[in-house]
Amino acid sequence: MRGAVLYGPRDVRFEERGAPTIIKPTDAIIRISATCVCGSDLWPYRGISPVPQPTPMGHEYCGIVEEVGSAVTAVKPGQFVIGSFFASDNTCPNCQVGYQSSCQHKELVGTAQAPLLRVPLADGTLVPTPGVPSDDMVPSLLGTGWFAAHAANVMPGKTVVVVGDGAVGLLGVLSSKQMGAQRIIAMSRNESRQKLARDFGASDIVTERGDDGVARIKELTSGIGADSALECVGTQESMMQAIRSTRPGGSVGYVGVPHGVELNGEELFFTHVRLHGGPAPVRRFLPELIELVWNRKINPGKVFDLTLPLDRVAEGYRAMDERRAIKTLLCP
């Protein structure tokens, strides 16, 4: 079997890897129908998060169950399933309160850019769809961004600002619209991404960044700030822009993997802003989101503006790194 392996900065190779097998009775083997390049994959790709050795890549996936271990009862061969980048038992105390990505027995699922994938803790990780989806629906089953809006306490009739115009930010716009936000301000300087943000429900576009961006948000909200801010990048500038754009009593949901982010306790103390975020507990939201996609109520797959065969995975990384693509879909 061949799959994507990252050797170092901007060095992704599609090469021979061992095919996965059942190791534990709680495992499942999935034949990948679609995977993709995530914005968080760009941190190691750019060398900002160094990889100590050649590393198989990919943590977003959906496909058909090929084989299950003897202890697996919730999914069976032939079913189309979707799972999280963290395998979870879905029974521990953290899972029970909806934070499966902090499962006490979590395992990273990080080798999905390949034809086959081993998923540990299959019963607690994988969610089957009502049937095998049509080809045009598959990309939407890989959508992200819901947790950003949930963590930011987006509510009907409120004002939301979204910091970041990558796939997560754009789907944060879609999620906020679905949750009933009245006004959604997307921060973007890219024309094609601005258009998609409006398609997903953005009412305003702000091109300024940093302090100028904050000033523009305050101007649009009569000097008050947004009720909710979605931080979908992970840099110092984006985090501070989100916090400073939020009104007292408002909430920031941060899902951008932080790199070099430091918060001043005294400044944060006087903002009266709530902060909540972290790795998305995907398993919690999958049943609801599958239903929305299955019934054609949302179409998050529109963020995929580049589709490539899996053996051209390096090209997919390059396109996203150079911002020629919002998100790359990879098909084995």
Side-chain angles (χ1 to χ4, degrees):
M1 179 188 82
R2 298 173 73 208
V5 179
L6 179 66
Y7 275 77
R10 294 179 171 82
D11 184 6
V12 172
R13 307 178 196 179
F14 191 70
E15 64 180 25
E16 195 64 32
R17 287 174 20 192
T21 59
I22 298 291
I23 297 174
K24 298 179 181 179
T26 49
D27 291 347
I29 302 297
I30 309 301
R31 180 162 294 280
I32 296 293
S33 297
T35 182
C36 50
V37 180
C38 177
S40 64
D41 291 331
L42 297 180
W43 293 111
Y45 179 75
R46 290 169 174 162
I48 298 171
S49 297
V51 293
Q53 59 193 24
T55 302
M57 296 294 288
H59 59 265
E60 295 175 302
Y61 58 92
C62 60
I64 303 287
V65 178
E66 286 233 326
E67 184 183 358
V68 298
S70 60
V72 176
T73 60
V75 297
K76 58 187 179 182
Q79 284 185 309
F80 190 96
V81 294
I82 308 164
S84 170
F85 47 85
F86 274 124
S88 59
D89 59 25
N90 208 31
T91 60
C92 82
N94 294 340
C95 289
Q96 288 296 295
V97 294
Y99 286 85
Q100 291 90 339
S101 51
S102 285
C103 176
Q104 291 178 324
H105 306 105
K106 69 182 180 184
E107 293 186 47
L108 179 65
V109 182
T111 62
Q113 290 167 3
L116 294 169
L117 174 69
R118 171 183 167 262
V119 180
L121 302 171
D123 275 351
T125 304
L126 298 173
V127 179
T129 56
V132 176
S134 58
D135 289 347
D136 69 308
M137 183 180 285
V138 168
S140 286
L141 294 168
L142 289 172
T144 58
W146 194 266
F147 181 55
H150 180 87
N153 197 31
V154 173
M155 299 180 69
K158 300 298 185 179
T159 296
V160 177
V161 61
V162 180
V163 182
D165 64 357
V168 175
L170 291 167
L171 291 175
V173 172
L174 174 66
S175 302
S176 298
K177 184 67 174 178
Q178 190 67 28
M179 293 179 184
Q182 181 176 23
R183 190 176 192 185
I184 303 170
I185 305 167
M187 309 197 83
S188 173
R189 293 177 171 178
N190 183 290
E191 187 174 338
S192 63
R193 298 178 189 218
Q194 291 172 359
K195 181 181 184 303
L196 187 52
R198 289 199 181 276
D199 288 346
F200 280 157
S203 52
D204 302 87
I205 302 292
V206 167
T207 59
E208 294 88 350
R209 290 183 181 174
D211 291 342
D212 290 340
V214 173
R216 181 64 178 142
I217 296 297
K218 293 291 182 72
E219 181 183 336
L220 290 170
T221 57
S222 302
I224 300 168
D227 300 294
S228 299
L230 281 58
E231 193 287 304
C232 304
V233 183
T235 65
Q236 181 73 19
E237 181 182 68
S238 62
M239 178 65 90
M240 298 315 302
Q241 188 167 295
I243 292 171
R244 292 168 180 168
S245 296
T246 305
R247 66 164 176 81
S251 298
V252 174
Y254 61 100
V255 297
V257 180
H259 285 76
V261 175
E262 296 182 359
L263 300 179
N264 180 292
E266 184 176 0
E267 178 182 354
L268 190 61
F269 182 79
F270 285 102
T271 64
H272 269 145
V273 167
R274 299 177 181 89
L275 292 179
H276 184 47
V282 174
R283 178 62 182 83
R284 187 203 323 181
F285 302 114
L286 275 177
E288 179 183 0
L289 294 177
I290 288 171
E291 183 178 358
L292 287 171
V293 170
W294 205 263
N295 294 324
R296 305 278 183 179
K297 292 183 178 178
I298 58 173
N299 184 18
K302 291 168 72 175
V303 296
F304 291 106
D305 54 351
L306 178 61
T307 299
L308 294 171
L310 187 55
D311 61 4
R312 292 168 62 188
V313 59
E315 184 179 336
Y317 274 84
R318 271 197 308 275
M320 287 180 61
D321 178 41
E322 296 167 3
R323 287 180 66 84
R324 292 184 284 109
I326 299 171
K327 194 169 178 72
T328 302
L329 185 72
L330 300 168
C331 301

